Amino acid sequence: MALQAAGAERDWLPEPGFLECLTTLPFGKLYLELPTGPQVFFSNAAVNPNQGISLALKTLGWSCQEWPSSQDAASVDERQALATLRAAVEEQPALVGPLDLGWLTYHPEHSYLRGADHFALVLAVHDEYVLLHDPQKYPYAWLPVRDFLEAWRAEKIGYPHAPFTLRMRFRAQERPAPERAVLIARTLSLIRAQWGQSFEGPVLYSGVAALKRLMVALQADRWSHLLERQLVNFVLPLASRRLLDAALFLSEAGLAAAATCLQEQALLCGRAQWFLGQRKRQALQDCLQRLVVLEKELPALLAG
């Protein structure tokens, strides 16, 4: 939506699932061993969502102004941030995030989502409210300015970012726009390079190591309830969606075996979500074990 508002041709703009793959986020597994409890995401451990957006824009042949700059981030206050955002949206919608979902008070379950990240498009800034386009089923979301600023400050978001992160003034850098085959080739090059970055603790685990840590954590009494809630309500449904997007992307790239591998992973995530909801713990562990086997096979399949 941001690119279209900036003049991108509608018949060129890729669909959301394809754009998600350009961030490289659907390709990988991530487990964090934190003092407050473990967190797991079926997401690329080499990049965070904020970095993924920048990667996708570069791959698409677009640029934008990112604010604040790394030099200014420490000194930015909310009044300056709001003034910058207000001026930006007078030209075109601006992308804000990460936002803390816990402060998006138009969301009926916001009080349970504190610390979860989100991104949205700002359409207008009024004296008392900010008008957002939230892609998660809220095309016109009205949010009080105070709640918006707390969400935009994003103090509880766990990965590195500046408060009040804003992307504005989107511009095409390549003419003509890159064809889909070019976008796929650029992204595959990134994914293959990232796959060589293995993380095995003590805080961050990736790939097979992340899945194995998850299996152990689900058997531990201390954190199992917290982790099960994350998995059943958010992580596994999102994982199935992302893995299906990734499978379609790899199929279009001509990597049929890798696409089949990710499609089976998507199916297993759906089964795991049901098993977890039904308290079928052994069946859940069997699903995760099969995911480990597939994850081990994937690097060779991605190499083509």
Side-chain angles (χ1 to χ4, degrees), residues 69 73 83 91 113 158 206 227 244-245 266 304:
S69 67
E91 298 180 36
L113 300 173
S206 64
L227 193 53
L244 280 175
D245 290 337

Side-chain angles (χ1 to χ4, degrees), residues 228-240 266-280 283-284 287-288 291:
E228 287 174 7
R229 183 173 168 182
Q230 292 176 29
L231 288 165
V232 77
N233 291 330
F234 176 71
V235 174
L236 289 171
L238 177 61
S240 288
L267 178 63
L268 285 165
C269 287
R271 286 173 62 84
Q273 194 267 351
W274 187 80
F275 288 144
L276 189 53
Q278 298 298 311
R279 304 297 183 191
K280 297 180 181 291
L284 172 63
C287 264
L288 294 174
L291 280 168

Side-chain angles (χ1 to χ4, degrees), residues 173-227:
Q173 298 297 304
E174 293 187 32
R175 300 288 188 186
E179 296 180 357
R180 283 176 74 95
V182 173
L183 301 179
I184 289 171
R186 290 175 178 176
T187 303
L188 283 177
S189 178
L190 288 172
I191 293 167
R192 287 164 175 155
Q194 292 163 349
W195 215 273
Q197 302 179 50
S198 179
F199 302 94
E200 298 189 8
V203 176
L204 173 62
Y205 298 81
S206 64
V208 170
L211 291 171
K212 288 183 175 180
R213 294 295 298 184
L214 172 60
M215 293 176 70
V216 172
L218 285 169
Q219 295 174 325
D221 291 337
R222 185 181 181 192
W223 299 119
S224 60
H225 178 71
L226 175 66
L227 193 53

Side-chain angles (χ1 to χ4, degrees), residues 37-119:
Q39 290 187 357
V40 62
F41 301 99
F42 281 56
S43 182
N44 187 344
V47 298
N48 65 50
N50 200 37
Q51 294 168 330
I53 290 175
S54 296
L55 286 177
L57 280 170
K58 184 176 180 180
T59 298
L60 287 163
W62 280 69
S63 67
C64 66
Q65 182 180 343
E66 294 189 25
W67 188 91
S69 67
S70 56
Q71 295 87 350
D72 298 333
S75 61
V76 169
D77 61 30
E78 60 184 39
R79 183 178 300 179
Q80 182 184 4
L82 202 60
T84 302
L85 177 62
R86 190 190 303 271
V89 299
E90 289 178 358
E91 298 180 36
Q92 59 182 232
L95 182 64
V96 291
L99 303 173
D100 188 328
L101 267 169
W103 288 98
L104 301 185
T105 48
Y106 55 81
H107 194 297
E109 297 183 349
H110 70 91
S111 58
Y112 302 104
L113 300 173
R114 188 66 54 84
D117 71 324
H118 199 48
F119 292 80

